[in-house]
Amino acid sequence: MARETGDASEEKTLNTDVPKWLVRTAALAAGLTLLAGCAIDKGSALAADFEEHWADTADVAEIDTYGANTLPFMGSATGTLILEDGTSADRVAELANELGAYVADNCEVTGEITAEGVTFAVAPDSGRTGQVVEMWESLTADDRVSSGAIDIGFQNEDSWTIEITAADGSGAMAVFNEMAADTDPYRPFSSATVTTLEVSTVQGAPTSLRVATDNEGRVPAAAIAAYEAVAAQYTVVGGALLSEHGTERASIVVATGADAAHADELARSAAPGLTDLEVTVESGN
């Protein structure tokens, strides 16, 4: 009887140990399954998913993607739908809303659309995307604008970042001034709390100009005043008018043969508080 009792005790011990091993084995298998379902290069996987989802979409000529693999199983992606030339504004708006919904469902993906030379990011909500499409329409309808890029802050919905390329210096200055003001064509941008704006001329333009706010939207008003004072009397062939961390600077280049001293005097008289100011004459060939 004692032996039988011992055997029964041993058998009972073995029976209780088996389920523990089974639990550990099942847990390990489940963990491996979860890892297999999550790509180690997550950014690349998100980019591939984007391409697959939007493949063969009507009016999409090309899909451009970029995946950032920050850490194993962590990353993000940017996907851009490049539309066919001549795609209607209604179709652009439709695709923008569809892409916005995709971004809302895939928070680690940034969605963009390129149409008529202007690229814009969509928002996870249709109201915000509607404002972006308005801005896109305003830029593409402006003959002075050659190309552009519109980015918006998803965390701060009153944040815009816009980069524009204009055909010439006068167009660049006019577009910048209009966008910095509260004018109707650009009202969604100008009504924002923080707006970062940069307008520059295309490469090879007779007048090379770059005008930019800082990242808090501060306009280089004094630098612009100096530039315009010089441009009123001399041919200006180059300029950079910038606001950087609240400090303005201006670099103005006038055509060969201009009176550099007089041009400098004009600039400083128009902007007496501007200390970072340089006026030079174009070097001869």
Side-chain angles (χ1 to χ4, degrees), residues 118 128 131-150 160 162-166 171-193 195 197 199:
V118 176
R128 182 66 167 153
Q131 288 186 320
V132 178
V133 173
E134 282 185 53
M135 176 59 64
W136 168 82
E137 288 189 88
S138 297
L139 292 178
T140 55
D142 193 331
D143 292 337
R144 300 166 300 184
V145 174
S146 298
S147 62
I150 308 169
W160 297 71
I162 298 186
E163 296 181 4
I164 296 171
T165 302
M173 182 62 75
V175 169
F176 182 92
N177 286 333
E178 289 174 19
M179 293 194 74
D182 195 18
T183 56
D184 286 335
Y186 303 110
R187 191 170 299 279
F189 170 76
S190 58
S191 64
T193 302
T195 54
L197 172 65
V199 183

Side-chain angles (χ1 to χ4, degrees), residues 5-187:
T5 301
D7 291 344
S9 176
E10 182 179 357
E11 182 179 355
K12 183 177 180 180
T13 301
L14 289 174
N15 286 340
T16 55
D17 283 347
V18 170
K20 292 180 181 179
W21 283 106
L22 286 174
V23 169
R24 286 196 288 268
T25 302
L28 178 60
L32 291 174
T33 300
L34 288 173
L35 290 178
C38 182
I40 188 169
D41 293 330
K42 186 172 183 179
S44 299
L46 289 169
D49 288 345
F50 186 95
E51 290 193 32
E52 182 179 359
H53 181 90
W54 295 98
D56 302 320
T57 300
D59 301 308
V60 175
E62 185 180 345
I63 300 174
D64 186 23
T65 58
Y66 170 75
N69 303 308
T70 52
L71 289 172
F73 309 107
M74 295 181 65
S76 60
T78 298
T80 305
L81 305 179
I82 303 171
L83 305 190
E84 299 279 3
D85 291 339
T87 301
S88 70
D90 287 344
R91 178 58 174 157
V92 172
E94 181 182 15
L95 286 169
N97 283 317
E98 291 177 7
L99 184 55
Y102 181 91
V103 168
D105 291 337
N106 298 271
C107 61
E108 292 158 316
V109 176
T110 298
E112 298 179 341
I113 289 178
T114 297
E116 303 300 328
V118 176
T119 299
F120 63 89
V122 302
D125 66 272
S126 58
R128 182 66 167 153
T129 293
Q131 288 186 320
V132 178
V133 173
E134 282 185 53
M135 176 59 64
W136 168 82
E137 288 189 88
S138 297
L139 292 178
T140 55
D142 193 331
D143 292 337
R144 300 166 300 184
V145 174
S146 298
S147 62
I150 308 169
D151 196 9
I152 52 176
F154 293 164
Q155 299 301 319
N156 174 9
E157 291 194 350
D158 286 330
S159 173
W160 297 71
T161 299
I162 298 186
E163 296 181 4
I164 296 171
T165 302
D168 54 45
S170 61
M173 182 62 75
V175 169
F176 182 92
N177 286 333
E178 289 174 19
M179 293 194 74
D182 195 18
T183 56
D184 286 335
Y186 303 110
R187 191 170 299 279

